[in-house]
Amino acid sequence: MIIHKGETLFRQGESGPLYHLRSGLLKIVRVHQDGTLILVNIIVPGEIIPHHSLISPNPYYGTAVALVTSEIEVISNVEWYEELERNPEKCRSIALLLQDKLRMMQQRIDQLTEASPAEKLRKLQAWFAAYIAPATLTEVLTQDEIGQFIGLRRETINRLLRGQSAVKPPI
């Protein structure tokens, strides 16, 4: 299945299949009771989501939205869980998938604990470039989302981005 930038794959609170992201990028946003959207995760190629349902079913924690055109394989949750019952080795492969995600989250924590806001932004831009180049971070995330993802206010992101564009090296 192909979904395009801005299209929703699933919504928070719904239940359904699992998904394997073959290419592209997804964001997971959580909607709070007051309607506020919070960016909680970025899904990269190779991941199977939702992570919290890889061993047992649960409603979707957030809403998945395509950041770029993405190719997704739909995985029947009934078949997935039956296969887990029949094949204990699959549990090991799930553990390895989750280990990879934890390592990615450790990188995100490193980004959040950098002393300098400018360095936090630079690291996030470099990480995203590996997945979206030649597009830029601001082409796929809003300044609010960037700020949520690295723990900075939108105004700070705006100031840092303006500062970056002011010091572009000559061609």
Side-chain angles (χ1 to χ4, degrees):
M1 152 173 46
I2 301 290
I3 65 171
H4 299 282
K5 180 178 180 174
E7 292 182 344
T8 298
L9 179 62
F10 57 76
R11 296 190 186 287
Q12 177 178 322
E14 294 176 345
S15 294
L18 289 100
Y19 300 94
H20 175 225
L21 181 61
R22 292 193 178 280
S23 65
L25 282 177
L26 302 173
K27 67 179 176 181
I28 306 296
V29 293
R30 186 115 169 102
V31 182
H32 290 285
Q33 286 184 348
D34 66 0
T36 305
L37 293 175
I38 302 295
L39 175 67
V40 294
N41 204 353
I42 301 293
I43 307 302
V44 300
E47 290 191 64
I48 297 174
I49 58 170
H51 301 112
H52 69 277
S53 294
L54 291 175
I55 302 294
S56 62
N58 256 320
Y60 300 132
Y61 175 76
T63 298
V65 179
L67 289 172
V68 296
T69 298
S70 301
E71 181 184 358
I72 298 160
E73 174 190 0
V74 179
I75 302 169
S76 162
N77 52 350
V78 172
E79 291 174 19
W80 177 267
Y81 299 122
E82 285 175 357
E83 176 66 17
L84 283 180
E85 293 287 327
R86 289 191 309 270
N87 183 0
E89 183 59 29
K90 188 158 186 157
C91 290
R92 180 178 173 1
S93 68
I94 291 170
L96 292 172
L97 286 171
L98 292 173
Q99 174 182 274
D100 288 344
K101 188 60 181 180
L102 283 172
R103 287 181 177 151
M104 181 187 294
M105 297 306 285
Q106 287 172 325
Q107 289 176 334
R108 183 172 169 205
I109 289 168
D110 285 346
Q111 290 170 350
L112 290 172
T113 57
E114 284 292 331
S116 153
E119 188 62 13
K120 287 181 187 183
L121 179 59
R122 188 197 63 72
K123 282 190 168 195
L124 183 64
Q125 288 169 318
W127 182 79
F128 257 85
Y131 296 103
I132 63 170
T136 64
L137 178 62
T138 54
E139 291 176 65
V140 296
L141 293 179
T142 66
Q143 289 182 8
D144 277 330
E145 290 171 329
I146 295 167
Q148 290 168 6
F149 208 61
I150 58 175
L152 297 173
R153 295 179 49 202
R154 187 204 55 80
E155 294 81 3
T156 303
I157 297 299
N158 184 285
R159 179 179 48 80
L160 292 170
L161 290 170
R162 278 185 288 129
Q164 285 179 345
S165 64
V167 294
K168 291 268 186 204
I171 296 178

